[in-house]
Amino acid sequence: MNAFDIKGKKILITGTTSGIGMEMSKHFNGSGAQLNLLGRSFDKLSKLRLELDELNYFKLIKGDLNEDLEAIASEIENIDGIVFNAGVVAYQPLKFLKEEDFLKLFHTNYFSSIFLLKKLIKLRKINKGASIVFISSLSASIGIEGTLAYSASKASIDSSIKILASELSRQKIRVNSIAPGIIETPLLDNAVFNKEKRKLEESKYPLGLGCSNDVVYSAQFLLSEASRWITGSVLELNGGYKLK
Amino acid sequence: MKRTDFTENFKDILDEPELVEIKENTEFKDLDEWDSLTNLTLIAMVDSEYNVKLNSDDINNSKTILDLMNLIKFKE
């Protein structure tokens, strides 16, 4: 057996209807994993369905983790892996940081994942030896202006995986995060990323900007047996951003 | 939107508003303080005060305070 294979593993992915989550869903489906795919929009989930190979098992689950946590948890099947990918980006410098927006972002990017995980653990839906992967961000460990809420939510993830990795190690459940720098997706927020800004940012990455598959392949590695001795780690994907 | 309100709100995004005079014909990108953070703060201020979402192109295409006011009125 190939240690990097995820064929037959039952994996839950959140935030599957756009960007990295969508690419991940398609790739894992093609790799023969059995997927539970969570998204907020019925229309977008229906579009995702068209992109997937029906010969490989998958289950689409519609719901908003901020509102329907109980219902979502009950629909999720027993799983060998999770990728907590759902999240939003916001740019609000301290001076105009809105408390309501800050709390909402933290709910979406952090609390909802933690409470879903808690629920799944209590319901005993996470199999022994499972691997849990959170999508964090390079911004958690540097100081990008205007990203206080977003970066703090991601830093919370990077800190939490260590505690979760300790607590869940008795069940041989591993917990890690992936912290990518800028990934080129159609969703790159144009409020901040016009062409000039993109060029400027790109120049900070010795290997250029990342693509969705950079994250997808790392997540596959962390879900596979090849990473069986890795837990409580932040895997940084940043094209050399921190070398300078 | 009252004109004086917007200039006051604009001053609010600056660290040292007392050093400059903000008028409708002020070319805001020529201000000493103007940089990427002021740019972001302007977007956040307009969102917070007028519930209007500006993007980088909006700001690139605007020259004066009056341009910004017209843009916000248009998007409101």
Side-chain angles (χ1 to χ4, degrees), chain A residues 93 95-96 145 190-192 194, chain B residues 12 14 36 40-41 45 56 60:
Chain A
K95 220 174 192 176
F96 289 92
E145 294 170 342
N190 85 331
V192 177
N194 58 8
Chain B
D12 219 14
L14 303 174
S36 60
L40 271 180
T41 312
M45 182 276 281
S56 283
N60 277 352

Side-chain angles (χ1 to χ4, degrees), chain A residues 39-57:
Chain A
R40 281 185 297 182
S41 153
F42 180 77
D43 287 349
K44 287 182 180 172
L45 281 172
S46 304
K47 274 183 198 156
L48 175 62
R49 177 191 295 277
L50 300 175
E51 303 264 354
L52 300 175
D53 180 355
E54 301 268 357
L55 291 176
N56 287 328
Y57 175 86

Side-chain angles (χ1 to χ4, degrees), chain B residues 20-54:
Chain B
V20 289
E21 193 183 2
I22 303 295
K23 292 188 295 194
E24 283 183 19
N25 62 358
T26 302
E27 297 191 7
F28 59 91
K29 279 177 272 185
D30 290 342
L31 296 171
D32 285 346
E33 265 198 48
W34 186 259
D35 64 7
S36 60
L37 180 60
T38 348
N39 192 324
L40 271 180
T41 312
L42 173 61
I43 293 172
M45 182 276 281
V46 171
D47 184 18
S48 160
E49 297 296 320
Y50 304 96
N51 216 11
V52 167
K53 305 223 181 289
L54 296 183

